[in-house]
Amino acid sequence: MTYCVGLKLDCGLVFMSDTRTNAGVDNISTFRKMFLFEAPQERCITLMTAGNLATTQAVVSLLEERGKAPENRSPSIFRAKSMFGVAKLIGETLREVIESHSTSGQQADSSFHATMIVGGQIAGGEPRLFLIYPEGNFIEASEDTPFFQIGETKYGRPILVRVYDPNMSFEAAVKLLTLSFDSTIKANLSVNLPLDVHCYENDSLTEGRVFRLHAEDPYFQTISAGWGVALNNAFSELPDFSFEN
């Protein structure tokens, strides 16, 4: 399992992903799940993956190889004319990989399934964010749905729903996502640090702030401990239930 979040703000896009993969409690590994495709001043695209590791690695490898191929050889993430075209290409590649592993056509509910979040900007277009399903189809973030989650989503969602504000800064967004991931990590052993982060600023068309939060990172430790204290304090300040009333 994994946990990834893509967040759309007025100032840009924020991505965060964990790095834990597991095939049972005795087979746990660390793998990067966030990938950047950049042509400075022309496009900057971030892809995050969840699901079967062999499937997601195959999709990323195909995207990278086809990106290096001559222009007339195959569609490429570096030649797509829009972010819609990028999402369509990634969806088709994901469907292709799943079908190649299936014994009788595509099986979205099979052990080879995967979901992905892709976001970014291409020169001449607006920053856009998409959620791609195992079947290859996708939906786009909007004012009504300003963020996407994949993987183990339920534990980290409540804080996002309550606190998200499109006007928030990158710094506030990183704090919010850190809380969301901390709640998920506390509740599910299949999600864990390090956490990869990318903050893309609108119209920059180049890689933004990219960094990794480790378990021993002072900021993460402060947020994790402080959130626990804050929750306990808030709980204590709420009125007690009364059976008589």
Side-chain angles (χ1 to χ4, degrees), residues 10 141 146 151 203 220 243:
D10 291 343
D203 301 323
F220 181 84
F243 287 103

Short mmCIF file of all heavy atoms in Angstrom, two decimals, residues 10 141 146 151 203 220 243:
data_model
loop_
_atom_site.label_atom_id
_atom_site.label_comp_id
_atom_site.label_asym_id
_atom_site.label_seq_id
_atom_site.Cartn_x
_atom_site.Cartn_y
_atom_site.Cartn_z
N ASP A 10 -4.15 28.17 -5.41
CA ASP A 10 -4.13 29.34 -6.28
C ASP A 10 -2.71 29.66 -6.75
O ASP A 10 -2.52 30.21 -7.83
CB ASP A 10 -4.70 30.55 -5.54
CG ASP A 10 -6.20 30.42 -5.30
OD1 ASP A 10 -6.84 29.58 -5.96
OD2 ASP A 10 -6.72 31.16 -4.44
N ALA A 141 -9.00 17.67 -11.43
CA ALA A 141 -9.31 18.45 -10.23
C ALA A 141 -10.05 19.72 -10.62
O ALA A 141 -9.83 20.29 -11.70
CB ALA A 141 -8.03 18.78 -9.48
N PRO A 146 -10.60 19.79 -5.27
CA PRO A 146 -9.31 20.46 -5.47
C PRO A 146 -8.09 19.60 -5.14
O PRO A 146 -6.97 20.07 -5.29
CB PRO A 146 -9.40 21.66 -4.53
CG PRO A 146 -10.25 21.15 -3.40
CD PRO A 146 -11.24 20.21 -4.01
N GLY A 151 -4.04 5.33 -2.93
CA GLY A 151 -3.49 4.44 -1.94
C GLY A 151 -4.37 4.38 -0.70
O GLY A 151 -5.59 4.30 -0.78
N ASP A 203 3.16 28.87 -13.62
CA ASP A 203 3.83 29.56 -14.72
C ASP A 203 5.35 29.54 -14.64
O ASP A 203 6.01 30.19 -15.45
CB ASP A 203 3.34 31.02 -14.84
CG ASP A 203 1.84 31.11 -15.08
OD1 ASP A 203 1.31 30.26 -15.81
OD2 ASP A 203 1.20 32.02 -14.53
N PHE A 220 9.24 17.26 10.95
CA PHE A 220 8.24 16.21 11.01
C PHE A 220 8.00 15.78 12.45
O PHE A 220 6.85 15.57 12.86
CB PHE A 220 8.66 15.00 10.17
CG PHE A 220 7.64 13.89 10.20
CD1 PHE A 220 6.56 13.92 9.34
CD2 PHE A 220 7.75 12.84 11.10
CE1 PHE A 220 5.60 12.92 9.37
CE2 PHE A 220 6.80 11.84 11.14
CZ PHE A 220 5.72 11.88 10.28
N PHE A 243 -25.30 12.28 30.75
CA PHE A 243 -26.42 11.36 30.63
C PHE A 243 -27.71 12.01 31.12
O PHE A 243 -28.82 11.71 30.63
CB PHE A 243 -26.14 10.08 31.43
CG PHE A 243 -25.12 9.20 30.80
CD1 PHE A 243 -23.81 9.15 31.28
CD2 PHE A 243 -25.44 8.40 29.70
CE1 PHE A 243 -22.87 8.32 30.70
CE2 PHE A 243 -24.50 7.58 29.12
CZ PHE A 243 -23.21 7.54 29.60
#
